[in-house]
Amino acid sequence: MDRDQFRSAAHAAIDDIIGYFDNIPNQRVLPTIAPGYLRPQIPSSPPNQPESWSTIQADVHSQIKPGLTQWQSPNFMAFFPATVTYPSILGEMYSAAFNAPAFNWLCSPACTELETVMMDWMAQALHLPGCFLSTSENKGGGVIQMSASDVVATVMIAARERRVHAQAKSEGLKEGTTDYEDRVMDLRPRLVALSSTQAHSSTAKAALLAGTRYRSIPVELGNDMSLTGAELRGMLENLDADNLTPYFITLCFGSTNSCAVDRFREITEVLKEKPHWQQIWVHIDAAYAGAALIADEWQFIAKDFEEGVDSFNVNMHKWLLVNFDASLLYVRNRNDLTDFLDITPAYLRNPFSESGQVIDYRNWSIPLGRRFRALKIWFVMRSYGLDGMTAFVRKGISLGETFAGLIRSRGDLFEIVTKPAFGLVVFRIKAAGSRPNGEANGALVNGSNGLVQPDEKSDAVTKEVYELINARGEIFITSTVMAGIYAIRVVSANERAEEKFIKRAFEIIVATAEEVLLKKA
């Protein structure tokens, strides 16, 4: 493809992308294809001769688009959003053109330096404590990772190394000796990573990658599934009794199931109670809900990060208008990463890196090569401004409040399981013959203790309604199970979300619930 062919193909592709976005509201959200649909449509061997762009583009329409789930549809209300915008796409185009692996400053200084500035811009936008800025005296700063899963694996490995090396040194062993190495290896099997039962599964997977143990801490529906200080203390005391060493904990700022927010201040106070508890690396997973910090009314939460928090993560590719991947990791002390992730062979050495005056982001993450992701963040922040980004987040929260109000209006059909938060509403269908509702703390309840109670009949009805709605494909929602309750999750927070789509989703859910209940009557 020469420059003229590229210009023609690029114009055709951009027109096609615009048409795709314009038509998304009219598309079925979930595809109707069966597993294995694509292989029979594609030749079993690659072509020997070049093919024209028009032929390739035609196959995108006939073969690829039928197999897409429409994440950008306003009728996509499952999982959490994965937002993309035109400025973000433009950033990807330039990044692809420059194609700089960006593993150190010398590779392309602009890649590194723009990333540092953008991370500081976002730290300010989210009103994070100053300790997370690259200019902080404590050597904080941020780095763009692929996903929250990569983030937790990276910081957990750093936390593991920080803990065992500190212990070996405290015992008077000299780094570089066999005795030191043996002691480090002896310490690792006793390490335990922690989170609540509501944390994303990436924490358990990271512990597997780090080669350490993992324990999840049960939480209660009465606390809206948030981890409390008392619950953490109980787990830590049990680990002490078993001669195990907790070294890392993931705290939720917006859990996957229900957007629960752990009690950060309580937890960091508990960690002060014993010297070895103070050494636990505290990581805040705010992959989705952390975006809310951009709005004034939520900034009080960030004040709890001023003490006792080692790292913080938010994904711009969920709720901040930047496409995947753009996962922001902030650390209080960059040396906690670089001391253990810096492997520098001769071919990576250069005067700039040796001077200590530049950042080499390869030492802040697991991969060596890195894409120029800061460009799309720069483009989005300048195109929308903080006012536009804030308005977008507030719209998502407002739509969630609207949907919660609609669910409450039909207390004969629905029960809200946990307090709606950050645009997410979690509810279930009431089976025939269930007890009358009350309302406490913003949730419809039917138990004597003011909480939704496990009920096999309601679970079965909710599951059937959920599966029937997704099978019909006009909207896409997800389900979850927590505190023994099968529930439906609805969140509408992508760029094309509007109140009319929320109301239509409610109509579909009501009609389907009534249909299933009538069938069972």
Side-chain angles (χ1 to χ4, degrees):
M1 182 179 286
D2 60 27
R3 62 193 302 275
D4 292 329
Q5 290 171 322
F6 172 69
R7 177 181 290 110
S8 176
H11 287 167
I14 288 173
D15 285 342
D16 195 22
I17 290 168
I18 293 171
Y20 169 72
F21 285 141
D22 287 347
N23 194 43
I24 274 181
N26 304 318
Q27 297 296 309
R28 179 187 167 97
V29 185
L30 287 172
T32 57
I33 50 82
Y37 89 99
L38 188 56
R39 180 172 288 276
Q41 300 185 59
I42 294 180
S44 58
S45 301
N48 291 319
Q49 300 300 316
E51 297 183 70
S52 68
W53 172 251
S54 60
T55 300
I56 297 169
Q57 189 173 28
D59 287 345
V60 171
H61 284 273
S62 64
Q63 298 171 12
I64 303 302
K65 287 184 178 180
L68 294 177
T69 298
Q70 307 298 338
W71 282 73
Q72 307 312 311
S73 170
N75 293 312
F76 183 100
M77 301 173 189
F79 305 112
F80 285 124
T83 309
V84 63
T85 57
Y86 289 127
S88 185
I89 292 172
L90 292 172
E92 289 283 17
M93 290 172 62
Y94 274 104
S95 177
F98 300 151
N99 199 33
F103 47 81
N104 64 19
W105 181 87
L106 186 60
C107 282
S108 278
C111 297
T112 295
E113 298 198 8
L114 185 63
E115 183 160 344
T116 303
V117 175
M118 288 303 98
M119 293 300 294
D120 283 348
W121 271 22
M122 280 304 303
Q124 295 172 57
L126 298 172
H127 294 79
L128 297 181
C131 61
F132 293 114
L133 291 170
S134 68
T135 54
S136 62
E137 293 184 3
N138 52 279
K139 297 293 185 181
V143 57
I144 307 172
Q145 304 272 25
M146 291 183 289
S147 69
S149 301
D150 296 279
V151 164
V152 73
T154 300
V155 294
M156 191 182 290
I157 289 170
R160 180 197 69 191
E161 294 305 288
R162 185 179 76 172
R163 186 58 175 266
V164 297
H165 285 273
Q167 180 64 34
K169 290 174 181 176
S170 73
E171 295 173 4
L173 298 174
K174 186 177 180 181
E175 193 168 4
T177 65
T178 300
D179 287 345
Y180 184 95
E181 181 181 289
D182 287 345
R183 182 57 176 150
V184 164
M185 298 303 291
D186 288 342
L187 289 167
R188 286 176 178 163
R190 308 305 298 173
L191 296 180
V192 183
L194 302 171
S195 74
S196 83
T197 55
Q198 299 305 293
H200 191 273
S201 59
S202 57
T203 295
K205 188 171 186 177
L208 181 65
L209 295 171
T212 66
R213 305 173 193 233
Y214 168 73
R215 297 286 187 275
S216 60
I217 307 168
V219 293
E220 297 180 358
L221 194 58
N223 295 320
D224 267 323
M225 308 307 286
S226 300
L227 179 66
T228 67
E231 289 163 342
L232 174 61
R233 183 187 294 110
M235 173 60 77
L236 295 177
E237 289 174 345
N238 289 339
L239 293 174
D240 285 352
D242 292 337
N243 194 30
L244 295 174
T245 305
Y247 75 104
F248 178 94
I249 185 167
T250 294
L251 301 182
C252 296
F253 180 175
S255 64
T256 302
N257 281 330
S258 64
C259 260
V261 177
D262 292 338
R263 297 183 182 176
F264 306 126
R265 187 65 62 94
E266 280 184 25
I267 288 167
T268 53
E269 288 299 314
V270 166
L271 294 177
K272 294 177 183 178
E273 293 175 5
K274 295 184 181 181
H276 64 288
W277 292 357
Q278 294 177 31
Q279 299 177 53
I280 295 173
W281 183 302
V282 177
H283 174 63
I284 306 292
D285 181 357
Y288 167 70
L293 294 177
I294 204 168
D296 295 344
E297 59 269 28
W298 295 103
Q299 289 162 13
F300 69 92
I301 297 176
K303 296 184 184 300
D304 288 344
F305 307 155
E306 292 176 355
E307 286 185 48
V309 173
D310 294 277
S311 54
F312 172 89
N313 168 233
V314 62
N315 290 350
M316 292 194 75
H317 57 250
K318 281 189 169 67
W319 202 12
L320 283 172
L321 300 164
V322 176
N323 68 293
F324 187 83
D325 54 346
S327 187
L328 311 188
L329 165 62
Y330 290 94
V331 290
R332 183 178 296 270
N333 185 345
R334 68 185 68 174
N335 292 334
D336 287 335
L337 294 178
T338 59
D339 283 354
F340 305 113
L341 297 178
D342 181 0
I343 304 294
T344 307
Y347 56 80
L348 291 179
R349 296 190 180 277
N350 64 82
F352 301 102
S353 297
E354 299 292 321
S355 73
Q357 297 178 355
V358 302
I359 289 175
D360 284 348
Y361 277 122
R362 66 182 178 81
N363 297 327
W364 294 49
S365 56
I366 294 171
L368 175 66
R370 312 178 68 256
R371 298 192 305 111
F372 195 179
R373 291 173 288 218
L375 266 179
K376 59 187 178 185
I377 296 174
W378 192 38
F379 287 6
V380 167
M381 293 189 76
R382 295 179 66 184
S383 297
Y384 284 84
L386 291 184
D387 288 349
M389 296 173 77
T390 302
F392 174 69
V393 168
R394 283 178 174 152
K395 182 184 79 168
I397 293 173
S398 177
L399 289 174
E401 292 169 349
T402 297
F403 185 77
L406 292 170
I407 291 292
R408 289 191 179 102
S409 73
R410 289 301 306 269
D412 58 317
L413 280 178
F414 306 119
E415 297 173 307
I416 293 179
V417 177
T418 55
K419 186 176 181 179
F422 305 108
L424 175 66
V425 182
V426 183
F427 65 98
R428 77 171 177 188
I429 318 301
K430 293 176 63 176
S434 60
R435 288 166 286 183
N437 300 336
E439 182 160 354
N441 299 322
L444 295 176
V445 298
N446 66 4
S448 59
N449 60 354
L451 301 173
V452 174
Q453 302 296 305
D455 179 79
E456 290 184 4
K457 290 182 178 179
S458 293
D459 286 351
V461 170
T462 303
K463 186 173 187 291
E464 186 171 347
V465 169
Y466 156 74
E467 291 177 348
L468 191 54
I469 287 171
N470 281 348
R472 290 170 175 170
E474 184 176 345
I475 63 172
F476 182 28
I477 54 180
T478 43
S479 64
T480 189
V481 178
M482 57 183 172
I485 297 165
Y486 189 99
I488 291 172
R489 302 167 68 263
V490 170
V491 58
S492 181
N494 67 36
E495 193 189 28
R496 290 161 184 80
E498 296 179 36
E499 187 172 309
K500 66 180 180 180
F501 297 108
I502 279 287
K503 290 181 175 178
R504 175 58 185 153
F506 177 70
E507 291 173 357
I508 292 169
I509 294 168
V510 168
T512 310
E514 290 178 338
E515 174 188 344
V516 170
L517 290 170
L518 181 62
K519 183 177 66 175
K520 292 182 177 295

